[in-house]
CSV table of all heavy atoms in Angstrom, one decimal:
chain,number,residue,atom,x,y,z
F,291,ALA,N,-8.9,8.3,-10.7
F,291,ALA,CA,-8.5,8.6,-9.3
F,291,ALA,C,-7.2,9.4,-9.3
F,291,ALA,O,-7.0,10.4,-8.6
F,291,ALA,CB,-8.4,7.4,-8.5
F,292,VAL,N,-6.2,9.0,-10.2
F,292,VAL,CA,-5.0,9.8,-10.3
F,292,VAL,C,-5.2,11.2,-10.8
F,292,VAL,O,-4.6,12.2,-10.3
F,292,VAL,CB,-4.0,9.0,-11.2
F,292,VAL,CG1,-2.7,9.9,-11.5
F,292,VAL,CG2,-3.6,7.7,-10.5
F,293,ALA,N,-6.2,11.3,-11.7
F,293,ALA,CA,-6.4,12.6,-12.4
F,293,ALA,C,-7.3,13.5,-11.5
F,293,ALA,O,-7.2,14.8,-11.7
F,293,ALA,CB,-7.1,12.4,-13.7
F,294,ALA,N,-8.0,13.0,-10.5
F,294,ALA,CA,-9.0,13.8,-9.8
F,294,ALA,C,-8.3,14.6,-8.6
F,294,ALA,O,-7.6,14.0,-7.8
F,294,ALA,CB,-10.0,12.8,-9.2
F,295,GLU,N,-8.6,15.8,-8.6
F,295,GLU,CA,-8.4,16.7,-7.4
F,295,GLU,C,-7.1,16.5,-6.7
F,295,GLU,O,-7.1,16.1,-5.5
F,295,GLU,CB,-9.6,16.5,-6.5
F,295,GLU,CG,-10.9,16.9,-7.1
F,295,GLU,CD,-12.1,16.7,-6.1
F,295,GLU,OE1,-11.8,16.5,-4.9
F,295,GLU,OE2,-13.2,16.7,-6.6
F,296,GLY,N,-6.0,16.6,-7.4
F,296,GLY,CA,-4.7,16.5,-6.7
F,296,GLY,C,-4.1,15.1,-6.6
F,296,GLY,O,-3.1,14.9,-6.0
F,297,GLY,N,-4.8,14.1,-7.3
F,297,GLY,CA,-4.3,12.8,-7.3
F,297,GLY,C,-2.9,12.6,-7.9
F,297,GLY,O,-2.0,11.8,-7.4
F,298,LEU,N,-2.6,13.3,-9.0
F,298,LEU,CA,-1.3,13.2,-9.6
F,298,LEU,C,-0.3,13.8,-8.7
F,298,LEU,O,0.8,13.2,-8.5
F,298,LEU,CB,-1.4,13.9,-11.0
F,298,LEU,CG,0.0,13.9,-11.8
F,298,LEU,CD1,0.5,12.5,-12.0
F,298,LEU,CD2,-0.2,14.6,-13.1
F,299,ARG,N,-0.5,15.0,-8.2
F,299,ARG,CA,0.4,15.6,-7.3
F,299,ARG,C,0.8,14.7,-6.1
F,299,ARG,O,1.9,14.5,-5.7
F,299,ARG,CB,-0.2,16.9,-6.7
F,299,ARG,CG,0.6,17.5,-5.6
F,299,ARG,CD,-0.1,18.8,-5.0
F,299,ARG,NE,-1.4,18.5,-4.6
F,299,ARG,CZ,-1.8,17.9,-3.5
F,299,ARG,NH1,-0.8,17.5,-2.6
F,299,ARG,NH2,-3.0,17.8,-3.1
F,300,ALA,N,-0.3,14.0,-5.5
F,300,ALA,CA,0.0,13.2,-4.4
F,300,ALA,C,0.8,11.9,-4.8
F,300,ALA,O,1.6,11.5,-4.1
F,300,ALA,CB,-1.4,12.8,-3.7
F,301,SER,N,0.4,11.4,-5.9
F,301,SER,CA,1.1,10.2,-6.4
F,301,SER,C,2.6,10.4,-6.6
F,301,SER,O,3.5,9.6,-6.2
F,301,SER,CB,0.5,9.7,-7.8
F,301,SER,OG,-0.8,9.3,-7.6
F,302,LEU,N,3.0,11.6,-7.1
F,302,LEU,CA,4.4,11.9,-7.3
F,302,LEU,C,5.0,12.3,-6.0
F,302,LEU,O,6.2,12.0,-5.8
F,302,LEU,CB,4.5,13.2,-8.3
F,302,LEU,CG,3.9,12.9,-9.7
F,302,LEU,CD1,3.9,14.3,-10.5
F,302,LEU,CD2,4.8,11.9,-10.4
F,303,ALA,N,4.3,12.8,-5.1
F,303,ALA,CA,4.8,13.2,-3.8
F,303,ALA,C,5.5,12.1,-3.0
F,303,ALA,O,6.5,12.3,-2.3
F,303,ALA,CB,3.8,13.9,-2.9
F,304,TYR,N,4.9,10.9,-3.1
F,304,TYR,CA,5.5,9.7,-2.4
F,304,TYR,C,6.9,9.5,-2.9
F,304,TYR,O,7.8,9.2,-2.1
F,304,TYR,CB,4.7,8.5,-2.7
F,304,TYR,CG,3.4,8.4,-1.8
F,304,TYR,CD1,2.2,8.9,-2.4
F,304,TYR,CD2,3.4,7.9,-0.5
F,304,TYR,CE1,1.0,8.8,-1.6
F,304,TYR,CE2,2.3,7.9,0.2
F,304,TYR,CZ,1.1,8.3,-0.3
F,304,TYR,OH,-0.1,8.3,0.4
F,305,TYR,N,7.2,9.6,-4.2
F,305,TYR,CA,8.5,9.5,-4.7
F,305,TYR,C,9.4,10.7,-4.4
F,305,TYR,O,10.6,10.5,-4.0
F,305,TYR,CB,8.4,9.3,-6.3
F,305,TYR,CG,7.7,8.1,-6.7
F,305,TYR,CD1,6.3,8.0,-6.8
F,305,TYR,CD2,8.4,6.9,-7.0
F,305,TYR,CE1,5.7,6.9,-7.2
F,305,TYR,CE2,7.7,5.7,-7.3
F,305,TYR,CZ,6.4,5.7,-7.5
F,305,TYR,OH,5.7,4.6,-7.9
F,306,ARG,N,8.8,11.9,-4.4
F,306,ARG,CA,9.6,13.1,-4.1
F,306,ARG,C,10.0,13.2,-2.7
F,306,ARG,O,11.0,13.8,-2.3
F,306,ARG,CB,8.8,14.3,-4.6
F,306,ARG,CG,8.8,14.4,-6.1
F,306,ARG,CD,7.8,15.4,-6.6
F,306,ARG,NE,7.9,15.5,-8.1
F,306,ARG,CZ,7.1,16.2,-8.8
F,306,ARG,NH1,6.1,16.9,-8.3
F,306,ARG,NH2,7.2,16.2,-10.2
F,307,ASP,N,9.3,12.5,-1.8
F,307,ASP,CA,9.6,12.5,-0.4
F,307,ASP,C,10.3,11.2,0.0
F,307,ASP,O,10.5,10.9,1.2
F,307,ASP,CB,8.4,12.7,0.5
F,307,ASP,CG,7.9,14.1,0.4
F,307,ASP,OD1,8.7,15.0,0.0
F,307,ASP,OD2,6.7,14.4,0.6
F,308,ALA,N,10.7,10.3,-1.0
F,308,ALA,CA,11.2,9.0,-0.7
F,308,ALA,C,12.6,9.1,0.1
F,308,ALA,O,12.9,8.3,0.9
F,308,ALA,CB,11.4,8.2,-2.0
F,309,ALA,N,13.4,10.1,-0.2
F,309,ALA,CA,14.7,10.2,0.5
F,309,ALA,C,14.5,10.5,1.9
F,309,ALA,O,15.2,10.0,2.8
F,309,ALA,CB,15.5,11.3,-0.2
F,310,GLU,N,13.5,11.3,2.2
F,310,GLU,CA,13.1,11.6,3.6
F,310,GLU,C,12.6,10.4,4.3
F,310,GLU,O,12.9,10.1,5.5
F,310,GLU,CB,12.1,12.8,3.7
F,310,GLU,CG,11.6,13.1,5.1
F,310,GLU,CD,12.7,13.6,6.1
F,310,GLU,OE1,13.9,13.8,5.6
F,310,GLU,OE2,12.5,13.7,7.3
F,311,SER,N,11.8,9.6,3.6
F,311,SER,CA,11.3,8.3,4.1
F,311,SER,C,12.4,7.4,4.5
F,311,SER,O,12.4,6.8,5.6
F,311,SER,CB,10.3,7.6,3.1
F,311,SER,OG,9.3,8.5,2.8
Side-chain angles (χ1 to χ4, degrees):
V292 171
E295 299 179 14
L298 178 58
R299 170 184 55 79
S301 297
L302 297 172
Y304 284 95
Y305 295 86
R306 290 170 175 171
D307 288 338
E310 176 64 8
S311 301

